[in-house]
């Protein structure tokens, strides 16, 4: 006979009530980053030594813009999740933990949006 309440056994949730979801998001973004990174790396290698106009043209194509936007979104979300785990595991002062978690979310969001806006500006010919 365990110490867990029957409702907790049925739901299968941990103390934070979101560990499984967080774990799945981390794994899905990690798997999504593999092909996105390979495609972006192929673009970078193929454009090495090209003129500025050629780079702008290739990166403004719909497929390459989509790949870059997906890469940026998955990468910054994956980074936010990973840093969140590190902060929750190794920072023990509650105020510091909350401040770092807010800072983590803010920085990942702002830098990710800035990168996405740069790609959109390039894709729209600006």
């Amino acid at each position: 006979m365990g110490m867990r309440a029957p409702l907790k056994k049925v739901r299968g949730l941990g103390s934070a009530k979101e560990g499984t979801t967080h774990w799945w998001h981390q794994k899905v973004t990690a798997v999504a980053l593999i092909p996105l990174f390979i495609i972006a790396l192929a673009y970078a290698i193929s454009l090495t030594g090209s003129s500025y106009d050629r780079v702008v043209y290739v990166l403004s194509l719909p497929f390459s813009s989509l790949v870059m936007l997906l890469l940026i979104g998955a990468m910054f979300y994956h980074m936010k999740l990973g840093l969140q785990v590190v902060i929750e595991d190794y920072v023990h002062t509650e105020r510091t933990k909350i401040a770092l978690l807010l800072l983590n979310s803010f920085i990942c969001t702002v830098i990710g949006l800035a990168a996405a806006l740069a790609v959109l500006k390039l894709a729209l010919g600006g």
Side-chain angles (χ1 to χ4, degrees):
M1 183 138 177
M3 299 290 286
R4 296 170 67 180
L7 184 59
K8 189 172 184 176
K9 287 180 187 177
V10 170
R11 288 186 179 164
L13 300 174
S15 62
K17 316 270 187 293
E18 61 183 40
T20 305
T21 303
H22 186 101
W23 184 85
W24 271 110
H25 286 194
Q26 189 84 26
K27 300 308 170 210
V28 168
T29 55
V31 170
L33 282 170
I34 295 169
L36 292 171
F37 182 76
I38 291 171
I39 295 169
L41 185 63
Y43 274 122
I45 291 170
S46 70
L47 292 172
T48 301
S50 297
S51 68
Y52 176 78
D53 292 331
R54 174 76 180 150
V55 172
V56 169
Y57 171 74
V58 170
L59 293 180
S60 65
L61 294 172
F63 179 75
S64 57
S65 296
L66 179 65
V67 167
M68 295 303 166
L69 288 172
L70 290 172
L71 177 66
I72 290 166
M75 181 174 54
F76 280 101
Y77 185 58
H78 184 80
M79 182 176 75
K80 179 198 166 293
L81 293 173
L83 287 172
Q84 179 181 339
V85 170
V86 171
I87 292 167
E88 289 171 348
D89 286 349
Y90 295 106
V91 177
H92 301 295
T93 308
E94 200 61 32
R95 282 185 178 177
T96 306
K97 185 185 297 187
I98 291 171
L100 288 174
L101 288 171
L102 288 171
L103 190 62
N104 176 37
S105 294
F106 178 75
I107 289 174
C108 290
T109 302
V110 168
I111 296 174
L113 285 175
L117 285 174
V119 170
L120 287 174
K121 182 179 178 190
L122 183 68
L124 297 175

